[in-house]
Amino acid sequence: ERDGFDHYMLKEIHEQPAALERAINGRITDDNRVHLEEFPPGSFADVGEVHFLSCGTSNHASVYAQQMLRDRGVPAYAFTAGEYATTPAPVSDDTLVVAVTQSGETADTLASLRSANERGARTLAVTNVVGSTAAREADDALFIRAGPEIGVAATKTFSSQVVVLALLVERIVEDVTGEPSAEAEALLSAMRELPSQVDSVVRESTAASLANRYAERAGTFFIGRGVAYPVACEGALKFKEISYEHAEGFAAGELKHGPLALVTPDTPVIGVFSGKHDTKTLNNVEEVRSRGAPVIGVAAETSDHVAGAVDEFLPVPETHPDLSGVLANVQLQLVSYHVADLLDRSIDKPRNLAKSVTVE
Ligand code: F6R
């Protein structure tokens, strides 16, 4: 069943190229335009603002999409569903509410979706499960086609969510502004290469030997900005979830506003670089290195400016900056997996956690 892999998580990490192929299959035209069968051009012409509702890893995919929409001039806000369910943001006629949930059954997400439905917002579920409660209760559904995921820690569903949300982002921007975004063609062309690039990260990663050197530290911090910010948060979530070691993800700029007090030679800092705001993140890298913290940089293999400024370098193939986070995240998945394996943790079923959280 596990096809020779020690854990479902590792198997599912390896399944990401195939999952991504399915996610994009038929959804990019020959001239690199978005084609979503469910949402022909104009479907989102009336959208003024987008709210994303989700929990945990799905919330990180939502923040990723939020950053992309904002970059393209569309107001977007990612909310944690548990908070939105009790303290919802006001919606108006032009608010599109997107529930992002791989299972489609997360209680907090369903509660927040219901609150949006009751207040008359237009709702959409982005999910992996056809026929799930979220898919049924939202006005529309968009499927990520990742295939079944057994490991409690979400891996391939995150990658597929990000890619499908990126397609949705370009559809929304084109509909709202009347033309494809300035990034659309390059992004969609790069997206075609993403499955094989993920495959090369999985095959060539040196995360296992890095894990040997950095396991069992006082804490591990993950930083990034732009789309690399939610990837840093996702890296930290996965790390604590399966290794049971302390980890935190921060917006790179926030580090100096408090968390820096925790930084010592025993707290490795993992910097995620998208290629867009690298100079600023490198300033934050300097701040932690001067406190003696070892820094691991995850960036495009061509990023000499990053490679030369960090203690360890985990390269990923060059892609569009807005897709770089998908590749960086695969490196981070492997770091967490190998640290957890080294510490002999229950990787597929971490203590205290369930695959689908059906209570609020
Ligand atoms: C972490 C993880 C969880 C889920 C969260 C939401 O690896 O899997 O954080 O992302 O419980 O689940 P869904 O996406 O099913 O709503």
Side-chain angles (χ1 to χ4, degrees):
E1 260 193 341
R2 282 189 259 110
D3 291 346
F5 290 102
D6 287 345
H7 300 94
Y8 280 108
M9 182 183 179
L10 192 59
K11 175 175 181 259
E12 287 158 0
I13 287 172
H14 280 79
E15 284 172 353
Q16 289 177 112
L20 291 176
E21 288 286 2
R22 283 195 301 274
I24 65 181
N25 183 32
R27 289 171 165 174
I28 305 173
T29 66
D30 289 345
D31 54 348
N32 292 323
R33 306 278 295 265
V34 179
H35 172 79
L36 295 175
E37 210 165 323
E38 306 86 335
F39 302 105
S43 297
F44 298 108
D46 295 336
V47 170
E49 146 175 328
V50 182
H51 294 182
F52 294 99
L53 313 179
S54 43
C55 302
T57 291
S58 294
N59 185 245
H60 299 146
S62 298
V63 174
Y64 201 115
Q66 164 201 283
Q67 309 291 59
M68 290 183 66
L69 278 169
R70 288 180 184 177
D71 259 355
R72 289 158 176 73
V74 176
Y77 307 90
F79 298 92
T80 49
E83 281 303 301
Y84 197 94
T86 48
T87 315
V91 295
S92 48
D93 287 351
D94 66 357
T95 309
L96 173 69
V97 173
V98 184
V100 181
T101 165
Q102 61 85 19
S103 65
E105 303 297 346
T106 300
D108 286 325
T109 308
L110 293 177
S112 64
L113 172 62
R114 284 169 189 149
S115 145
N117 275 335
E118 277 159 20
R119 288 176 298 127
R122 176 179 176 187
T123 57
L124 162 65
V126 174
T127 179
N128 196 30
V129 182
V130 177
S132 59
T133 307
R136 283 186 280 109
E137 294 195 7
D139 296 326
D140 291 298
L142 181 61
F143 296 103
I144 65 168
R145 307 174 183 162
E149 189 174 65
I150 309 292
V152 165
T155 52
K156 62 177 179 170
T157 53
F158 175 79
S159 300
S160 299
Q161 281 175 335
V162 170
V163 162
V164 171
L165 286 170
L167 291 167
L168 179 66
V169 162
E170 293 296 358
R171 166 87 292 137
I172 291 172
V173 173
E174 184 179 334
D175 290 352
V176 169
T177 65
E179 56 187 4
S181 80
E183 309 277 345
E185 193 177 345
L187 179 117
L188 294 166
S189 148
M191 197 181 275
R192 296 175 187 284
E193 309 305 320
L194 203 57
S196 67
Q197 291 181 323
V198 167
D199 189 54
S200 73
V201 174
V202 172
R203 279 187 289 103
E204 292 163 25
S205 175
T206 55
S209 71
L210 190 125
N212 268 307
R213 279 170 279 139
Y214 292 99
E216 290 195 283
R217 297 298 189 112
T220 303
F221 301 124
F222 295 70
I223 59 170
R225 50 181 86 225
V227 297
Y229 160 52
V231 173
C233 294
E234 172 59 10
L237 175 63
K238 211 97 308 176
F239 195 91
K240 66 185 109 175
E241 182 178 18
I242 60 168
S243 78
Y244 310 162
E245 296 280 293
H246 181 65
E248 294 296 334
F250 300 107
E254 277 294 293
L255 207 60
K256 57 188 172 299
H257 299 290
L260 200 53
L262 294 173
V263 170
T264 71
D266 200 32
T267 59
V269 176
I270 302 189
V272 184
F273 296 84
S274 73
K276 254 190 189 168
H277 313 286
D278 292 359
T279 312
K280 285 193 174 187
T281 304
L282 282 172
N283 291 339
N284 307 122
V285 161
E286 269 320 299
E287 289 160 7
V288 300
R289 279 187 97 196
S290 67
R291 273 87 184 170
V295 175
I296 299 148
V298 188
E301 58 205 2
T302 48
S303 303
D304 294 338
H305 58 298
V306 177
V310 295
D311 301 287
E312 307 268 358
F313 189 52
L314 288 175
V316 296
E318 179 105 58
T319 180
H320 187 282
D322 288 337
L323 296 176
S324 63
V326 175
L327 297 172
N329 183 59
V330 175
Q331 288 283 23
L332 300 184
Q333 291 170 347
L334 289 164
V335 170
S336 293
Y337 174 82
H338 288 294
V339 169
D341 195 34
L342 213 64
L343 300 176
D344 211 18
R345 305 303 191 212
S346 169
I347 291 180
D348 285 332
K349 284 197 170 81
R351 68 183 179 204
N352 308 337
L353 299 176
K355 182 69 180 162
S356 184
V357 184
T358 52
V359 289
E360 277 186 61

